[in-house]
Each structure stands twice: as structure tokens, then as C-alpha cells.
Amino acid sequence: MKESVMLDTKGFALAILFGIAIYFIGGVNYLIVMLIFLFLSVWATRYGAVEKKEMQLYEYERGWKNVFSNGLIPFLALLLFKRPELFLSALAAAQADKFASELGVLSSSKPIDLATLKPAEVGTNGAISLL
């Protein structure tokens, strides 16, 4: 499998369906925002790929579950409420999670567990790093 692939076949198909639906419900501006989200997510995934491979945390290809989990809430916000702030908020939350998980593992400092305020292992849910 080539590493230039962003989504597997099912993920790509679902992304196309979400994209078509978002285009017809909200128009081209919503679709552009969704595409920006996709490309920023790919960038975050690819950033530091060598280091992530060494940590066995690198996933270069995403599937339908990733597309579904990141696209469903923005899609429903647009479909049910047609309010741009809800659509954008849902995408911002997904993007923040993506950046935190993809870039946070590259931090040179040990993360801090927010529940205990003590150092945690890299990749611990609920922990934050300086990066």
C-alpha cells in the first residue's frame, strides 16, 4: 500500500458521501471548510512521521470509522440546525483532538495527567504536553 493514500476505500467513499451531502445542504463554503479540515488532519498525521513510526504510533491511512467519527457531528449540525457556528465548532473540536493526539506525542517533555497533575506516559488520554 502506498503511503500517499489518505483514506482507505471505505473511508474515501464515506468522505465523498459526506462531501456531497454537505455541498447540497450548505453549499460550497461548507465543503471548502470540510476539505481544509481533511488536509490539515492529513498534515498533522504526516508531521513527524519518522518519530511516530519509531514509537509505533503512525497511522498514514484512515478508514470509514475515522471519517464517520470526525464528520458525523458537523454534518448533523448542518443538516439539523443549519447554523455555521455549530458546524465550525464541531470541526474545531475534531481538529483540536486530531492536533493534540498527532502532535502531542512528539513533545520532548513528558505529558501531565490532568486528573492527577503528575507525569504520564506519552499517549495517555487526558494528559497534556507543552507542545
Side-chain angles (χ1 to χ4, degrees):
M1 177 134 338
K2 293 190 320 182
E3 210 167 304
S4 62
V5 175
M6 293 185 289
L7 299 168
D8 66 14
T9 304
K10 290 179 183 176
F12 184 74
L14 184 56
I16 293 294
L17 289 175
F18 270 140
I20 291 168
I22 286 169
Y23 173 77
F24 282 109
I25 295 167
V28 71
N29 290 338
Y30 285 89
L31 180 60
I32 289 170
V33 170
M34 199 70 169
L35 290 171
I36 290 169
F37 167 80
L38 173 64
F39 290 112
L40 285 174
S41 295
V42 169
W43 174 84
T45 297
R46 300 256 169 96
Y47 185 83
V50 172
E51 293 89 351
K52 289 185 221 176
K53 284 178 185 176
E54 290 172 1
M55 293 184 279
Q56 298 179 347
L57 297 173
Y58 184 65
E59 296 179 61
Y60 68 88
E61 185 178 71
R62 303 300 172 139
W64 73 268
K65 291 178 182 177
N66 300 103
V67 174
F68 185 78
S69 65
N70 287 311
L72 181 64
I73 300 303
F75 169 72
L76 289 176
L78 180 59
L79 177 69
L80 299 176
F81 304 106
K82 292 187 175 79
R83 293 182 53 195
E85 66 273 16
L86 296 178
F87 177 80
L88 292 171
S89 296
L91 278 180
Q95 194 74 77
D97 178 65
K98 173 60 110 178
F99 273 46
S101 63
E102 293 289 352
L103 303 179
V105 298
L106 299 173
S107 180
S108 59
S109 65
K110 200 145 175 98
I112 303 296
D113 187 325
L114 290 176
T116 64
L117 300 179
K118 295 184 179 180
E121 293 302 314
V122 171
T124 301
N125 286 329
I128 59 170
S129 65
L130 185 57
L131 180 61

